[in-house]
Amino acid sequence: MASHLPPRPTAQHSQADAGGMAADEHHHGPRGLKRWLLTTNHKEIGSLYLIFSLSMFFIGGIFAMVVRAELFQPGLQLVQPEFFNQMTTMHGLIMVFGAVMPAFVGLANWMVPLQIGAPDMALPRLNNFSFWLLPVAFALLLSTLVMPGGAPDFGWTFYAPLSTTYAPPSTTFFIFSLHLAGISSILGAINIIATILNLRTPGMRMMDMSLFVWTWLITAFLLIAVMPVLAGVITMMLLDINFGTSFFNAAGGGDPVLFQHLFWFFGHPEVYIMILPAFGIVSVIIPTFARKRLFGYASMVYATASIAILSFLVWAHHMFVVGLPLVAELFFMYSTMLIAVPTGVKVFNWITTLFRGSLTFEPPMLFALAFVVLFTIGGFSGLMLAISPADFQYHDTYFVVAHFHYVLVPGAVFAIMAGVYYWLPKWTGHYPHTRLSQWHFWLSVIGVNLTFFPMHFAGLAGMPRRIPDYALQFADFNMITSIGAFMFGISQLLFVAVVVLCVRGGEKAPAKAWDGAEDLEWTVPSPAPLHTFETPPRFEPDRH
Amino acid sequence: MTGQHSGDTRKGIRRTVARTLVALAGMFVFAFALVPLYDVFCQVTGLNGKTSNQAQALVHEAADQDRVVTMQIITRGSSGLPWSLEAHTRQVRVHPGQSAEVDFTFENLGDEVSVARAVPSVSPSEASLHLRKLACFCFQNQRLAPGERFEAPLVFQLTRDLPDDIKTVTLVYTLYRQDAGPSRENGTQALGGDA
């Protein structure tokens, strides 16, 4: 690609200094609320995404607290089963589509142009549109809670016919909101691909890009490939519910199992959409604080690509118990296990990067290290679930809940937090408060493990998921889990405190805020001015 | 901001966007194409346990006296349809190749005329390719007046090429309402009863 790069563009705004010194006074746009509504600046849109994602994280978190409060003791205490089902469903939907995905898009908006030396995203106005779809989508989704019949209550996987024939009337609103969120993701992905492929600074080849950029490029391709399938599935649901078709309705010759195939054809790549950018963030942070180059850069890129390709061949491991023929059980079992190979390459590379490095343990590094350990635990329970005969026992138990929360909370969410701590000095010009960040980290780590580790045991002992009550022998595990969940939930307020304090003041950060940080974003001042790299920076390509 | 990009970059961006849009449209169409593909795939392999929608001819072959396969018959109603469906025999033991008959009784327990169909499903699904139905009530809708009873036979044959490892075949009939019945409304009322 490098040889096809355009000649260096001449800066049309002559005031813009090299190295992105252009200052705020060049911003002549509207002020106040309209500034945010109409902004096309990648940094402002990135911040909007991150703030939106944080608020969704708390809303989804409150739903999780309701679930854990109900499960604190056996029996029904606080909520009716119908409402409990709405809470589990909304928690999953909000966290997946409202918290984790927009957080990664926000980080990409902020950091991809800075890491490739581009002045902005390739399509800034589209960028604005794809952000503002999200508040609309989630306001619509949350409004279903007050509709007659209640919010969606069929689980975040919305299996038909539970989500069609037997669904509450608000399901049509849920479908529309998911359509909007999906369009937002697709537009974001188009923008990221167009930016990465076309706006790299002269001299930066594909294999010179930071791993965060690489993993996001691959994630964006996954989004392009599977979000239309999700859109197709929910469109079929819409037709089944409102227009009398029978895609998933056995009465009319349809097949509910088809829904599961289509959903998981989207759903499995979707789970990698939520973890690949996390791999990228961690692959950027660990070399910085180990003060070594990333071990096996090329193998990291190929491993990410292999995981992405394999993700299309494993979907039926979510459906081992629907009555697949033996040969399909075996195929999906082995192809799933194959994913452990590139994932193992990644974990190996992280550990080898740490090996004999000059480690320091600043807050981003703490979260990155916790990610490596705890994500790997989630990976191992995933391997256990991949074993088809064993899965017949684990299916739909708390073991599954433990597994995907380990890869999503101390996996994706910790990586997002690591990224936020890592880039806060660049965004705000201040270091995050060290003591407070450490408290946040340790309370989160203890809280997360207290919450999700006992779920493994409850699940192996047979506790089914998505049920508001449970047998007495699970009482102790559930009480520990609930205490851990409250602890984790409350300690996230510390995170908000750290971010707010960091925006308002704190120790001043230099342009290169972290000792071992090497990517291009550390060549612009901290805080990064509104406009950066209006003249493409010089890039010396021998870092990797 | 696009104003800043040179002509080549702008062309590059336009090309990238055009390609991703084509890929998007392709994947959206592919999602819908998967529906007929799935049906054809299942018809060829029998993977979703569906049986033929039409009466099939008897395959004339000598019954395999050395093998006995248990044929289990299960019937299920569905919400919003006040019908009962009973098989007179719950279980028959047949030799592959032999044809057998099981009788069923439909009864409308409600107080209005309704139309429904019994939809079959076979487990294990591999057996569905080897289950031939010579006569079945499941090929058409049934219309029953209030309190009306109706008896109908199922004549079937398990062909001799049924895989050896299959010792039991389960045939499930689920009743589904076919007229514009209140089944969905009932379902949502049941779920949203607190509203």
CSV table of all heavy atoms in Angstrom, one decimal, chain A residues 92-124:
chain,number,residue,atom,x,y,z
A,92,GLY,N,-27.7,-7.2,29.2
A,92,GLY,CA,-26.9,-7.8,28.1
A,92,GLY,C,-26.9,-6.9,26.9
A,92,GLY,O,-25.8,-6.5,26.4
A,93,LEU,N,-28.1,-6.4,26.5
A,93,LEU,CA,-28.1,-5.6,25.3
A,93,LEU,C,-27.4,-4.3,25.5
A,93,LEU,O,-26.6,-3.8,24.6
A,93,LEU,CB,-29.6,-5.3,24.9
A,93,LEU,CG,-30.4,-6.5,24.4
A,93,LEU,CD1,-31.9,-6.1,24.4
A,93,LEU,CD2,-29.9,-6.9,23.1
A,94,ILE,N,-27.6,-3.6,26.6
A,94,ILE,CA,-27.0,-2.3,26.9
A,94,ILE,C,-25.5,-2.5,27.0
A,94,ILE,O,-24.7,-1.7,26.4
A,94,ILE,CB,-27.5,-1.7,28.2
A,94,ILE,CG1,-29.0,-1.5,28.1
A,94,ILE,CG2,-26.8,-0.5,28.6
A,94,ILE,CD1,-29.4,-0.1,27.6
A,95,MET,N,-25.0,-3.5,27.7
A,95,MET,CA,-23.6,-3.6,27.8
A,95,MET,C,-22.9,-4.0,26.5
A,95,MET,O,-21.8,-3.4,26.2
A,95,MET,CB,-23.3,-4.7,28.9
A,95,MET,CG,-23.6,-4.3,30.3
A,95,MET,SD,-22.7,-2.8,30.8
A,95,MET,CE,-22.8,-2.9,32.5
A,96,VAL,N,-23.5,-4.9,25.7
A,96,VAL,CA,-22.8,-5.3,24.5
A,96,VAL,C,-22.9,-4.1,23.4
A,96,VAL,O,-21.9,-3.7,22.9
A,96,VAL,CB,-23.5,-6.5,23.9
A,96,VAL,CG1,-23.1,-6.8,22.5
A,96,VAL,CG2,-23.2,-7.7,24.8
A,97,PHE,N,-24.1,-3.6,23.2
A,97,PHE,CA,-24.3,-2.7,22.1
A,97,PHE,C,-24.1,-1.2,22.5
A,97,PHE,O,-23.9,-0.4,21.7
A,97,PHE,CB,-25.6,-2.9,21.4
A,97,PHE,CG,-25.8,-4.2,20.7
A,97,PHE,CD1,-26.6,-5.2,21.3
A,97,PHE,CD2,-25.2,-4.5,19.5
A,97,PHE,CE1,-26.7,-6.5,20.7
A,97,PHE,CE2,-25.3,-5.7,18.9
A,97,PHE,CZ,-26.1,-6.7,19.5
A,98,GLY,N,-24.3,-1.0,23.8
A,98,GLY,CA,-24.3,0.4,24.3
A,98,GLY,C,-23.0,0.8,25.0
A,98,GLY,O,-22.6,2.0,25.0
A,99,ALA,N,-22.4,-0.2,25.7
A,99,ALA,CA,-21.2,0.2,26.5
A,99,ALA,C,-19.9,-0.3,25.8
A,99,ALA,O,-19.1,0.6,25.5
A,99,ALA,CB,-21.3,-0.5,27.9
A,100,VAL,N,-19.7,-1.6,25.5
A,100,VAL,CA,-18.4,-2.0,25.1
A,100,VAL,C,-18.2,-1.6,23.6
A,100,VAL,O,-17.1,-1.0,23.3
A,100,VAL,CB,-18.4,-3.6,25.2
A,100,VAL,CG1,-17.1,-4.1,24.5
A,100,VAL,CG2,-18.4,-4.0,26.6
A,101,MET,N,-19.1,-1.8,22.7
A,101,MET,CA,-18.8,-1.4,21.3
A,101,MET,C,-18.6,0.1,21.1
A,101,MET,O,-17.6,0.5,20.5
A,101,MET,CB,-20.0,-1.9,20.4
A,101,MET,CG,-19.9,-3.5,20.3
A,101,MET,SD,-21.3,-4.1,19.4
A,101,MET,CE,-21.0,-3.5,17.7
A,102,PRO,N,-19.5,1.0,21.7
A,102,PRO,CA,-19.2,2.4,21.5
A,102,PRO,C,-17.9,2.8,22.2
A,102,PRO,O,-17.2,3.8,21.7
A,102,PRO,CB,-20.4,3.1,22.1
A,102,PRO,CG,-21.5,2.1,22.1
A,102,PRO,CD,-20.8,0.8,22.3
A,103,ALA,N,-17.5,2.2,23.3
A,103,ALA,CA,-16.3,2.6,23.9
A,103,ALA,C,-15.1,2.3,23.0
A,103,ALA,O,-14.2,3.2,22.8
A,103,ALA,CB,-16.1,1.8,25.2
A,104,PHE,N,-15.1,1.2,22.3
A,104,PHE,CA,-14.0,0.9,21.4
A,104,PHE,C,-14.0,1.9,20.2
A,104,PHE,O,-13.0,2.3,19.7
A,104,PHE,CB,-14.1,-0.5,20.9
A,104,PHE,CG,-13.6,-1.5,21.9
A,104,PHE,CD1,-14.3,-2.6,22.2
A,104,PHE,CD2,-12.3,-1.4,22.5
A,104,PHE,CE1,-13.8,-3.6,23.2
A,104,PHE,CE2,-11.8,-2.3,23.4
A,104,PHE,CZ,-12.6,-3.4,23.7
A,105,VAL,N,-15.3,2.2,19.7
A,105,VAL,CA,-15.3,3.1,18.6
A,105,VAL,C,-14.8,4.5,19.1
A,105,VAL,O,-14.1,5.2,18.3
A,105,VAL,CB,-16.8,3.2,18.1
A,105,VAL,CG1,-16.8,4.2,16.9
A,105,VAL,CG2,-17.3,1.9,17.6
A,106,GLY,N,-15.1,4.9,20.3
A,106,GLY,CA,-14.6,6.1,20.8
A,106,GLY,C,-13.1,6.2,20.9
A,106,GLY,O,-12.5,7.2,20.5
A,107,LEU,N,-12.5,5.1,21.4
A,107,LEU,CA,-11.1,5.0,21.4
A,107,LEU,C,-10.5,5.1,20.0
A,107,LEU,O,-9.5,5.8,19.8
A,107,LEU,CB,-10.6,3.8,22.1
A,107,LEU,CG,-10.9,3.7,23.7
A,107,LEU,CD1,-10.6,2.3,24.2
A,107,LEU,CD2,-10.1,4.8,24.4
A,108,ALA,N,-11.2,4.4,19.1
A,108,ALA,CA,-10.7,4.4,17.7
A,108,ALA,C,-10.8,5.8,17.1
A,108,ALA,O,-9.8,6.3,16.5
A,108,ALA,CB,-11.5,3.5,16.8
A,109,ASN,N,-11.9,6.5,17.4
A,109,ASN,CA,-12.0,7.9,16.9
A,109,ASN,C,-10.9,8.8,17.4
A,109,ASN,O,-10.3,9.6,16.7
A,109,ASN,CB,-13.3,8.5,17.4
A,109,ASN,CG,-14.3,8.5,16.3
A,109,ASN,OD1,-14.1,9.3,15.3
A,109,ASN,ND2,-15.4,7.8,16.3
A,110,TRP,N,-10.6,8.7,18.7
A,110,TRP,CA,-9.5,9.5,19.3
A,110,TRP,C,-8.2,9.1,18.7
A,110,TRP,O,-7.4,10.0,18.3
A,110,TRP,CB,-9.5,9.3,20.8
A,110,TRP,CG,-10.0,10.5,21.6
A,110,TRP,CD1,-11.2,10.7,22.2
A,110,TRP,CD2,-9.3,11.7,21.8
A,110,TRP,NE1,-11.3,11.9,22.8
A,110,TRP,CE2,-10.1,12.6,22.6
A,110,TRP,CE3,-8.0,12.2,21.5
A,110,TRP,CZ2,-9.8,13.8,23.0
A,110,TRP,CZ3,-7.6,13.5,21.9
A,110,TRP,CH2,-8.5,14.3,22.7
A,111,MET,N,-7.9,7.8,18.8
A,111,MET,CA,-6.5,7.4,18.7
A,111,MET,C,-6.1,7.0,17.3
A,111,MET,O,-4.9,7.1,17.0
A,111,MET,CB,-6.2,6.3,19.7
A,111,MET,CG,-6.4,6.7,21.1
A,111,MET,SD,-6.0,8.4,21.6
A,111,MET,CE,-4.2,8.4,21.3
A,112,VAL,N,-7.0,6.4,16.5
A,112,VAL,CA,-6.5,6.0,15.2
A,112,VAL,C,-5.9,7.1,14.3
A,112,VAL,O,-4.8,7.0,13.8
A,112,VAL,CB,-7.7,5.2,14.4
A,112,VAL,CG1,-7.3,5.1,12.9
A,112,VAL,CG2,-7.9,3.9,15.0
A,113,PRO,N,-6.6,8.3,14.2
A,113,PRO,CA,-6.0,9.4,13.4
A,113,PRO,C,-4.6,9.8,14.1
A,113,PRO,O,-3.7,10.0,13.3
A,113,PRO,CB,-7.0,10.5,13.5
A,113,PRO,CG,-8.3,9.8,13.7
A,113,PRO,CD,-8.0,8.6,14.6
A,114,LEU,N,-4.6,9.8,15.4
A,114,LEU,CA,-3.3,10.2,16.0
A,114,LEU,C,-2.2,9.2,15.8
A,114,LEU,O,-1.1,9.6,15.7
A,114,LEU,CB,-3.6,10.4,17.6
A,114,LEU,CG,-4.3,11.7,18.0
A,114,LEU,CD1,-4.5,11.8,19.5
A,114,LEU,CD2,-3.4,12.9,17.5
A,115,GLN,N,-2.6,7.9,15.8
A,115,GLN,CA,-1.5,6.9,15.7
A,115,GLN,C,-1.1,6.7,14.2
A,115,GLN,O,0.0,6.2,14.0
A,115,GLN,CB,-2.0,5.6,16.2
A,115,GLN,CG,-2.2,5.6,17.7
A,115,GLN,CD,-2.2,4.2,18.4
A,115,GLN,OE1,-2.7,3.3,17.8
A,115,GLN,NE2,-1.7,4.1,19.6
A,116,ILE,N,-1.9,7.1,13.3
A,116,ILE,CA,-1.4,7.0,11.9
A,116,ILE,C,-1.0,8.3,11.3
A,116,ILE,O,-0.7,8.4,10.1
A,116,ILE,CB,-2.5,6.3,11.0
A,116,ILE,CG1,-3.7,7.2,10.9
A,116,ILE,CG2,-2.8,4.9,11.5
A,116,ILE,CD1,-4.7,6.6,9.8
A,117,GLY,N,-1.1,9.4,12.1
A,117,GLY,CA,-0.6,10.7,11.6
A,117,GLY,C,-1.6,11.4,10.7
A,117,GLY,O,-1.2,12.1,9.7
A,118,ALA,N,-2.9,11.1,10.9
A,118,ALA,CA,-3.9,11.7,10.0
A,118,ALA,C,-4.6,12.9,10.7
A,118,ALA,O,-4.6,13.0,11.9
A,118,ALA,CB,-5.0,10.7,9.7
A,119,PRO,N,-5.0,13.9,9.9
A,119,PRO,CA,-5.6,15.1,10.6
A,119,PRO,C,-7.0,14.8,11.2
A,119,PRO,O,-7.4,15.5,12.1
A,119,PRO,CB,-5.7,16.1,9.4
A,119,PRO,CG,-5.8,15.3,8.2
A,119,PRO,CD,-4.9,14.1,8.5
A,120,ASP,N,-7.7,13.9,10.7
A,120,ASP,CA,-9.0,13.5,11.2
A,120,ASP,C,-9.4,12.2,10.6
A,120,ASP,O,-8.7,11.6,9.9
A,120,ASP,CB,-10.1,14.6,10.8
A,120,ASP,CG,-11.2,14.7,11.8
A,120,ASP,OD1,-11.8,13.6,12.0
A,120,ASP,OD2,-11.5,15.7,12.3
A,121,MET,N,-10.7,11.8,10.9
A,121,MET,CA,-11.2,10.6,10.3
A,121,MET,C,-11.5,10.9,8.8
A,121,MET,O,-11.6,12.1,8.4
A,121,MET,CB,-12.5,10.1,10.9
A,121,MET,CG,-12.4,9.7,12.4
A,121,MET,SD,-11.4,8.3,12.6
A,121,MET,CE,-12.6,7.0,12.3
A,122,ALA,N,-11.6,9.9,8.0
A,122,ALA,CA,-11.7,10.1,6.5
A,122,ALA,C,-13.1,10.8,6.2
A,122,ALA,O,-13.2,11.6,5.3
A,122,ALA,CB,-11.6,8.8,5.8
A,123,LEU,N,-14.1,10.5,7.0
A,123,LEU,CA,-15.5,11.0,6.7
A,123,LEU,C,-16.1,11.6,8.0
A,123,LEU,O,-16.8,11.0,8.7
A,123,LEU,CB,-16.4,9.8,6.3
A,123,LEU,CG,-15.8,8.9,5.1
A,123,LEU,CD1,-16.4,7.5,5.2
A,123,LEU,CD2,-16.0,9.6,3.8
A,124,PRO,N,-15.7,12.9,8.2
A,124,PRO,CA,-16.0,13.5,9.5
A,124,PRO,C,-17.5,13.7,9.8
A,124,PRO,O,-18.0,13.5,10.9
A,124,PRO,CB,-15.3,14.8,9.5
A,124,PRO,CG,-14.3,14.7,8.4
A,124,PRO,CD,-14.9,13.7,7.4
